[in-house]
Amino acid sequence: DEYFGLQIKGDSMEPAICNNDIVIVHKQEDAESGEIVIASVGQNDATCKRLMKYGETILLRSYNQAYDDIDVTGDENFKIYGKVVESRRKYE
């Protein structure tokens, strides 16, 4: 199995995953509905979101309710890089 780490930038996944947290990601190209993934949509940078599958509809959902869902249904540029398996927070 391959894993990689990323530092989170932003507050879209708060309170579960916060700005500057480190997430450990299992490298894989798909995930189950409800799992947290690192993915990209269109020409945007990678994002950390909860993957939601409803029949033919695929959404990326933030924990922070200030952010709208991202509908990636049928987007040919949508890519999953992996599933978040752990997050780490440093307290200073």
Side-chain angles (χ1 to χ4, degrees):
D1 288 345
E2 292 184 52
Y3 294 85
F4 61 94
L6 288 175
Q7 184 173 21
I8 298 297
K9 297 294 181 191
D11 65 351
S12 69
M13 292 301 283
E14 287 183 358
I17 301 172
C18 298
N19 188 47
N20 292 321
D21 283 359
I22 303 293
V23 292
I24 308 303
V25 182
H26 178 252
K27 190 175 180 181
Q28 58 190 65
E29 295 180 358
D30 198 11
E32 298 295 322
S33 185
E35 294 181 325
I36 300 171
V37 298
I38 302 298
S40 63
V41 182
Q43 302 301 323
N44 295 325
D45 292 335
T47 187
C48 180
K49 299 283 186 269
R50 182 173 294 278
L51 179 70
M52 304 303 294
K53 296 178 180 179
Y54 303 99
E56 299 296 317
T57 302
I58 301 172
L59 303 174
L60 295 177
R61 179 166 292 155
S62 300
Y63 277 124
N64 187 334
Q65 294 180 358
Y67 293 87
D68 292 330
D69 290 346
I70 301 168
D71 186 349
V72 298
T73 306
D75 187 327
E76 62 188 37
N77 294 315
F78 171 63
K79 180 177 180 177
I80 294 174
Y81 296 97
K83 176 178 78 170
V84 174
V85 295
E86 184 177 326
S87 67
R88 299 177 181 191
R89 184 170 301 150
K90 184 176 180 180
Y91 296 100
E92 296 184 71

